């Protein structure tokens, strides 16, 4: 299980890093789409959150970092799909980001975020509290 969790961490970090790179790379193309905040700025925020989540998943191997990474990846993927298929319109300070087309970089973001969602979900589902593992070991060895 340890090997699988390690592989999941690497996949999650890779997916989040790709998400961060692609959003940072695309941000300037979307600066013109704006209300109080531009879509380019929202892309930069997503890039920063994804980069932080990738780092935390690798360095701080705890449930809060895995949950944060899952939220960043899931939120990004959900918003991308919503704005691809639904014309939500402008929401307060958020510009109308409806874009009903697929292109190469958008597909890469979907794949990267989906990989990160699945990998972090695996980490969260397979988490076991250390104290319970230690108590099971003591119980098995007869020192309960």
């Amino acid at each position: 299980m340890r090997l699988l969790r390690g592989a999941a961490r690497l996949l999650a970090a890779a997916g989040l890093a790709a998400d961060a790179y692609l959003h940072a790379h695309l941000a300037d193309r979307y600066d013109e789409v704006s209300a109080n905040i531009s879509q380019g700025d929202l892309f930069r925020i997503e890039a920063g959150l994804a980069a932080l989540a990738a780092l935390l998943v690798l360095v701080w191997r705890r449930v809060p970092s895995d949950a944060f990474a899952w939220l960043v990846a899931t939120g990004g993927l959900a918003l991308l799909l919503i704005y691809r298929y639904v014309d939500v319109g402008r929401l307060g300070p958020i510009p109308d980001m409806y874009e009903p087309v697929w292109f190469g970089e958008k597909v890469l973001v979907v794949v990267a975020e989906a990989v990160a969602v699945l990998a972090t979900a695996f980490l969260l589902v397979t988490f076991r509290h250390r104290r319970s593992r230690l108590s099971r070991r003591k119980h098995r060895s007869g020192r309960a």
Side-chain angles (χ1 to χ4, degrees):
M1 184 57 81
R2 189 178 216 172
L3 184 62
L4 286 174
R5 287 182 54 79
R9 282 198 185 286
L10 290 175
L11 282 172
L16 288 160
D19 178 23
Y21 170 77
L22 289 163
H23 274 90
H25 173 70
L26 293 171
D28 62 338
R29 294 185 197 177
Y30 291 92
D31 282 332
E32 298 299 318
V33 180
S34 73
N36 292 2
I37 187 169
S38 78
Q39 188 172 352
D41 290 338
L42 292 172
F43 274 36
R44 289 179 188 91
I45 292 168
E46 169 69 15
L49 291 172
L52 176 61
L55 182 64
L56 287 174
V57 162
L58 289 175
V59 175
W60 192 48
R61 298 175 175 205
R62 301 285 185 271
V63 171
S65 65
D66 297 343
F68 175 71
W70 182 84
L71 286 170
V72 169
T74 303
L77 181 59
L79 287 172
L80 187 149
L81 293 174
I82 288 169
Y83 281 111
R84 164 58 179 89
Y85 293 108
V86 180
D87 188 358
V88 176
R90 182 179 168 179
L91 295 172
I94 307 296
D96 182 359
M97 297 189 291
Y98 179 61
E99 187 177 48
V101 296
W102 286 109
F103 54 91
E105 289 148 324
K106 187 184 248 186
V107 172
L108 289 176
V109 170
V110 167
V111 170
E113 289 175 339
V115 165
V117 167
L118 293 173
T120 53
F122 176 80
L123 291 171
L124 291 168
V125 168
T126 60
F127 168 75
R128 290 191 181 168
H129 194 274
R130 183 179 178 158
R131 193 174 291 162
S132 18
R133 279 188 277 163
L134 292 174
S135 66
R136 278 196 297 269
R137 286 182 192 158
K138 286 180 183 178
H139 185 275
R140 281 189 222 139
S141 66
R143 295 182 283 158

